[in-house]
Amino acid sequence: MNADTKTARSVSENPCRMCMPMGGILPFKGIENAMLIIHGSQGCATYMRRHMAEHFNEPIDVASSSITEQGTIYGGEVNLKQGLKNLIKLYEPEVVGILSTCLAETIGEDIARITSAFVKEQTGSSLPRLIPVSSPGYGGSLTEGYFQALYSIVENVSQESPPHHGINVIVPHISPADTREIKRILDVMGAPYTLLPDLSDTLDSPYSKVYKRIPPGGTPLASIEAMAGAQATIEFGETLPDGLSPGKYLRDQFGVSLYRLPLPMGIAACDKFLELLKTLTGNPVPEALKKERGRLQDAMIDSHKYNREGKAAVFGEPETVYGISRVLLENGVTPAIIATGSSNPSLKGLVEGLSHSDEAEPFILLDTDFAELRRYCAAKEVNLAIGNSDGRFLTEKEGLPLVRVGYPIHDRIGGQRILSVGYTGTVMLLDQITNTLLANKLNHYRNDLYQEFYRSAGAGQFE
Ligand code: SF4
């Protein structure tokens, strides 16, 4: 196989992505007192709950309209309306997300129309805010579902508001630990903000003896309403297409200035974030954050001499792999392959713009699957994989050590606690990458020496 030319695939084998409605669930989980229902078969909701429960190590409530064989033929409208009634009675939410699936979209269900019909039929009762999101599983990856839902939330909720000094901060699907770190940086910088969505407590709740159907926390509805009056929006989503950008919606509809940044992973991206906060707030960067930056520089010096041997395959959702690639390129690890299951149009150009030399230019795989990724890992002789748990087959089949980061992490505990943003998170990620390279080297060096010197000297003839 020519390692520099992508060959055409006729089938997908173990896709390198999660489906759209799975992504659509996450923003609703980061809104205060929100619940959601999946319009489709029981199996879809079960699959999504299972992945989320294993990643976040929390109970995950997602309702299902449970379309059966009969609904598949005659339509699932009755099921969805009954499901909504039950959900509203049981959970008493303020917001309900209504997400479609492959099945619902394939049989032509119009969830926006069904939602309007439901609202009309319930005249007189006080209903939560119902937000339909069209999310066929085959329509994109987790990223497209996530931002489609986030866009629908902002479009439905935000409304003309008096101007204020607040800053909207829109984040992609990062961990609760990452969310807390971004909030901490905003607090330390003295920035008034609305962070959307806020999974920091809802999907990483402190232990409590009392079970609450909807965990406390999340972005309050009133704050989302007021996003239209903010002084600016910071959207962590350089790879995000315009059509899915809630920040662009706020700019076009309400004139809120938009700043698109990469996730604050790596020293340059963190600096960019702090520079912008300095400009928007008029506050200086405090000593505590300067020290954290200095510690990251120190860690970079400590690890750079080992990193040169790293040749990595990075895979996952576009914004995550872009952020990780920035960290690798800053620290001397070659991102030989950058892969995503999304068909993202801007990732290739962004990553190529980061490379310093021809040698470091990464090979980009879009809309890929793990069978293809595995073949390219062998062809490009990579020695490290960085991505979610679905890459464990790269370890099993190719012997590649895997640094687990992203979503989902379902074969280890603590997915919700993985920290990789900010100066501190970058240090943690960098240490993990360098230590994995070192462990791999130390595990194999005797055998490598033997193969290289002993056998090539002809000593093997006496075995
Ligand atoms: S890909 Fe389609 S069928 Fe599979 S879980 Fe997602 S929505 Fe359901």
Side-chain angles (χ1 to χ4, degrees), residues 51 55 63 66 80 116 119 194 211 225 232 235 262 313 321 328 337 353 409:
H51 264 85
H55 176 88
S66 305
L80 180 55
S116 308
V119 173
T194 292
Y211 175 70
E225 282 172 3
E235 188 169 72
V321 296
L328 298 183
I337 300 172
I409 306 296

Side-chain angles (χ1 to χ4, degrees), residues 19-21 41 43-44 47-48 100-103 135-138:
C19 71
M20 244 185 123
S41 69
C44 296
Y47 156 76
M48 293 168 206
S100 60
T101 55
C102 295
L103 173 59
S135 51
Y138 46 75

Side-chain angles (χ1 to χ4, degrees), residues 18-331:
M18 301 275 104
C19 71
M20 244 185 123
M22 169 91 86
I25 293 174
L26 292 164
F28 285 101
K29 287 288 173 191
I31 295 176
E32 194 174 60
N33 208 12
M35 183 48 192
L36 51 112
I37 184 164
I38 301 280
H39 187 35
S41 69
Q42 276 275 10
C44 296
T46 307
Y47 156 76
M48 293 168 206
R49 280 187 219 117
R50 186 220 129 200
H51 264 85
M52 291 183 67
E54 283 182 342
H55 176 88
F56 294 105
N57 301 284
E58 294 285 345
I60 302 291
D61 282 19
V62 174
S64 168
S65 61
S66 305
I67 302 181
T68 57
E69 290 86 342
Q70 196 183 10
T72 305
I73 295 165
Y74 299 109
E77 182 165 345
V78 176
N79 286 44
L80 180 55
K81 288 176 176 170
Q82 188 57 50
L84 278 168
K85 273 192 216 164
N86 296 345
L87 179 162
I88 292 166
K89 197 169 156 198
L90 196 65
Y91 288 85
E92 299 176 348
E94 276 182 82
V95 182
V96 179
I98 304 164
L99 304 172
S100 60
T101 55
C102 295
L103 173 59
E105 296 280 344
T106 303
I107 63 173
E109 297 284 274
D110 180 348
I111 53 167
R113 185 198 61 75
I114 299 174
T115 306
S116 308
F118 177 78
V119 173
K120 274 193 202 129
E121 287 163 22
Q122 302 298 312
T123 313
S125 28
S126 137
L127 287 178
R129 204 179 288 252
L130 304 176
I131 304 178
V133 183
S134 171
S135 51
Y138 46 75
S141 71
L142 179 139
T143 292
E144 284 81 31
Y146 181 95
F147 278 102
Q148 185 70 61
L150 211 49
Y151 190 99
S152 301
I153 291 165
V154 172
E155 191 183 28
N156 273 276
V157 179
S158 60
Q159 51 187 256
E160 205 68 61
S161 310
H164 58 87
H165 289 296
I167 300 167
N168 305 321
V169 181
I170 294 173
V171 292
H173 38 84
I174 52 178
S175 73
D178 283 338
T179 312
R180 277 194 292 275
E181 180 64 1
I182 289 178
K183 285 168 75 173
R184 184 185 71 86
I185 292 171
L186 289 161
D187 286 334
V188 173
M189 284 297 296
Y193 64 89
T194 292
L195 186 123
L196 183 71
D198 184 354
L199 305 170
S200 55
D201 287 331
T202 53
L203 290 181
D204 190 13
S205 305
Y207 169 74
S208 161
K209 280 188 180 168
V210 184
Y211 175 70
K212 298 204 173 75
R213 284 206 172 96
I214 300 180
T219 315
L221 211 51
S223 304
I224 306 174
E225 282 172 3
M227 285 174 89
Q231 65 152 319
T233 300
I234 299 176
E235 188 169 72
F236 291 115
E238 277 203 327
T239 60
L240 190 58
D242 277 355
L244 290 175
S245 161
K248 183 172 180 297
Y249 173 82
L250 289 167
R251 185 186 67 192
D252 294 350
Q253 295 297 314
F254 304 106
V256 184
S257 307
L258 171 62
Y259 300 90
R260 265 211 200 141
L261 299 183
L263 268 172
M265 298 171 78
I267 205 158
C270 290
D271 286 356
K272 227 174 172 178
F273 179 33
L274 288 193
E275 277 303 318
L276 179 58
L277 287 180
K278 222 167 85 173
T279 309
L280 294 175
T281 61
N283 297 333
V285 175
E287 203 50 37
L289 287 177
K290 285 184 185 162
K291 277 188 182 170
E292 287 170 30
R293 185 180 193 279
R295 285 191 193 103
L296 171 56
Q297 284 178 303
D298 204 37
M300 290 166 80
I301 294 165
D302 296 342
S303 63
H304 83 280
K305 50 189 176 285
Y306 308 113
N307 292 338
R308 185 66 186 87
E309 290 181 20
K311 222 176 156 192
V314 187
F315 59 91
E317 297 300 321
E319 201 58 35
T320 315
V321 296
Y322 177 50
I324 296 169
S325 305
R326 297 179 69 101
V327 175
L328 298 183
L329 284 164
E330 278 181 357
N331 290 283

